[in-house]
Amino acid sequence: MTRRNFLLNAAIAAGATLAGAAGAQTPAPAQKPKTLVAYYSWSGNTKALARHLADALGAELLELTPETPYPTAYSACLDKAKADIAAGARPALKVLPDLAPYDAVLVGTPNWWGTLAPPVCTLIENPALAGKKMALFQTHGGGGEQRCGRDFKRLAKGEIVASPLIVAGTRAAASRQAAAQWAAALPL
Ligand SMILES: Cc1cc2nc3c(=O)[nH]c(=O)nc-3n(C[C@H](O)[C@H](O)[C@H](O)COP(=O)(O)O)c2cc1C
């Protein structure tokens, strides 16, 4: 090898080493936030909306199931819900996973007597939610938001990052696009 070629090869090798080192210092891409979509649904509408959101975000789904279910007959459910809300009941939930791994928890409720369904209150008051990003989605029977968003703000232990997604119960199954749009705008 001539002295000129030797110097050229050495310069190329040094360049490659530097490029390699620079590559090693490039920060890893930000990890996707781990999101939980947790909901209570008595007759399936909020469940349909929750599924759309979980699909849009690639999030995990958790159905909140009270240990003692609400009555299946509508008028009995109305009465029990009214009494529970008046009493500030926090029904025990059958299954509650470890919330620690989640960065964000989206919470779904039907509008019950103008406010959140009690099983949802049980979840959102959990101190394990402190510091997590949270947002509410709800379905209703014509009353719209009523006091749901306000009560969510008052009770939730996490940091609320968006206005609620509010969908009429009869439109929940057909609201895939609205759910995806709301989910895409969340600052997660
Ligand atoms: C106990 C109970 C109370 C309700 N109270 C209200 C209400 O105050 N305002 C309203 O708009 N809809 C009310 N609804 C209707 C539900 O919010 C609506 O049908 C919702 O989409 C049901 O969601 P789900 O199928 O996930 O249970 C009530 C329904 C039940 C069962």
Side-chain angles (χ1 to χ4, degrees):
M1 189 185 303
T2 65
R3 180 175 153 74
R4 187 168 172 276
N5 279 351
F6 172 81
L7 290 174
L8 195 60
N9 284 345
I12 289 167
T17 308
L18 282 175
Q25 281 166 12
T26 305
Q31 281 209 333
K32 190 168 153 299
K34 194 169 161 65
T35 303
L36 179 68
V37 175
Y39 67 94
Y40 173 72
S41 184
W42 182 74
S43 58
N45 298 337
T46 313
K47 180 179 200 154
L49 192 55
R51 285 195 168 149
H52 294 327
L53 291 169
D55 286 351
L57 290 163
E60 289 173 31
L61 257 184
L62 170 70
E63 178 160 16
L64 303 173
T65 312
E67 272 179 7
T68 308
Y70 280 89
T72 48
Y74 185 63
S75 63
C77 182
L78 279 178
D79 291 346
K80 173 75 173 130
K82 190 176 191 178
D84 275 6
I85 290 166
R90 300 291 184 259
L93 302 174
K94 265 191 188 160
V95 179
L96 192 56
D98 180 12
L99 297 168
Y102 296 98
D103 303 298
V105 180
L106 307 183
V107 180
T109 187
N111 174 338
W112 270 13
W113 293 103
T115 187
L116 310 168
V120 167
C121 298
T122 305
L123 173 75
I124 67 176
E125 288 184 342
N126 191 319
L129 291 171
K132 297 189 189 301
K133 295 182 176 184
M134 295 183 75
L136 178 72
F137 59 96
Q138 65 164 98
T139 67
H140 61 88
E145 180 175 7
Q146 293 186 275
R147 299 180 307 284
C148 295
R150 191 200 318 164
D151 291 344
F152 184 66
K153 264 191 193 155
R154 185 168 55 83
L155 299 174
K157 295 290 181 207
E159 177 207 349
I160 296 167
V161 296
S163 300
L165 171 65
I166 303 162
V167 173
T170 49
R171 298 276 315 140
S175 294
R176 194 172 184 83
Q177 203 181 340
Q181 272 173 8
W182 183 77
L186 289 171
L188 300 181

